[in-house]
Amino acid sequence: IYNTTSVLFNMSTDTNADFYYLKNSHTSSNARWIELCENVQECIKLVKWFSNGDNYVTVKAAANGDVIYQNIFFKVDTIKPRIIKIEPRKNQLTNGSYFSVKYTENNLRNVNLVYGNDLNNMSNITNTHCPSGKNQECFFKPNLTDYDKKNITYWFEISDDFNIIQSKNYSVNVDTSAPIIIFNETQKQGTEVSFIFEIFEENFDG
């Protein structure tokens, strides 16, 4: 895989030959042979304008009526990963059950989640099985028990073969403790029965 649309060809034979190449002949009926070098034993040439993605090239060396062919496959990736959205959002409450990043990258290598409350000693989780492509998502479930009732900073890093792109840093509030529910009593009035509970939860939403 190359991070440039220009690729250096280096070919040689035992005798003087003419060297040619053919771009993407398997998909294009209009592909034509382009001469690289004439009447040489070694041909070194920078070929430009290859496309991002898969490239199929056939090279040939012709000498004294004999022709040798060689098929070559390689990828070009000059487009950096793009991060579209990350969750949880800034200042949201989280228990670690849902961290996600939405991105576009056709040749993904890995996605890394970095989190903690000490920038000199952050934790990280790397996922090498996230999908490549457009508008993809990758999910994480970090164990945040050690950060209960604390504030942490986190970000994502998206890597291809040549680049590492980092998201914005977000601060979120951690709550991994289950609410404490205490049953106090019941009150009966006619056909109605009321149950009285005490709920101890700093972040109770009810």
Side-chain angles (χ1 to χ4, degrees):
I1 187 167
Y2 296 90
N3 65 340
T4 174
T5 57
S6 300
V7 177
L8 185 67
F9 282 47
N10 189 339
M11 301 166 288
S12 61
T13 57
D14 294 334
T15 184
N16 283 12
D18 299 329
F19 293 86
Y20 304 83
Y21 77 97
L22 188 67
K23 280 185 179 181
N24 296 327
S25 58
H26 71 299
T27 58
S28 175
S29 59
N30 297 321
R32 62 185 182 87
W33 290 102
I34 300 173
E35 187 177 72
L36 289 171
C37 302
E38 184 178 4
N39 196 32
V40 294
Q41 283 187 261
E42 184 178 41
C43 178
I44 301 175
K45 196 75 113 179
L46 186 68
V47 181
K48 299 180 179 180
W49 314 121
F50 285 105
S51 303
N52 274 281
D54 297 340
N55 287 271
Y56 297 84
V57 177
T58 301
V59 296
K60 73 175 180 180
N64 302 322
D66 295 323
V67 181
I68 300 174
Y69 295 92
Q70 179 70 51
N71 294 317
I72 304 170
F73 166 75
F74 58 88
K75 288 186 176 183
V76 171
D77 183 5
T78 63
I79 302 172
K80 294 180 180 180
R82 182 168 69 93
I83 296 175
I84 301 169
K85 182 177 69 173
I86 67 172
E87 291 188 78
R89 306 299 289 175
K90 185 177 179 180
N91 295 326
Q92 280 190 340
L93 194 67
T94 180
N95 62 3
S97 63
Y98 185 81
F99 279 68
S100 72
V101 56
K102 188 175 184 180
Y103 57 88
T104 292
E105 171 52 45
N106 288 326
N107 297 294
L108 185 71
R109 173 169 285 183
N110 60 60
V111 177
N112 193 39
L113 169 63
V114 183
Y115 62 95
N117 54 15
D118 180 357
L119 292 178
N120 295 317
N121 187 28
M122 302 291 279
S123 299
N124 70 85
I125 304 173
T126 301
N127 191 336
T128 59
H129 300 291
C130 299
S132 295
K134 185 177 181 180
N135 295 330
Q136 298 294 329
E137 288 188 272
C138 193
F139 303 95
F140 292 77
K141 293 183 179 182
N143 184 350
L144 300 182
T145 304
D146 291 341
Y147 303 100
D148 189 30
K149 304 298 186 292
K150 297 177 182 178
N151 181 274
I152 65 168
T153 298
Y154 85 94
W155 64 84
F156 283 99
E157 296 170 347
I158 307 289
S159 301
D160 63 13
D161 288 292
F162 304 102
N163 305 286
I164 300 176
I165 301 300
Q166 181 180 312
S167 73
K168 293 181 179 178
N169 294 8
Y170 278 178
S171 294
V172 292
N173 302 306
V174 177
D175 183 0
T176 61
S177 299
I180 300 173
I181 302 175
I182 299 175
F183 173 68
N184 279 344
E185 60 179 306
T186 60
Q187 294 180 351
K188 186 175 181 181
Q189 185 174 2
T191 58
E192 295 183 0
V193 178
S194 298
F195 296 88
I196 299 175
F197 297 89
E198 287 186 73
I199 300 175
F200 298 91
E201 169 55 50
E202 291 183 13
N203 301 294
F204 181 65
D205 183 13

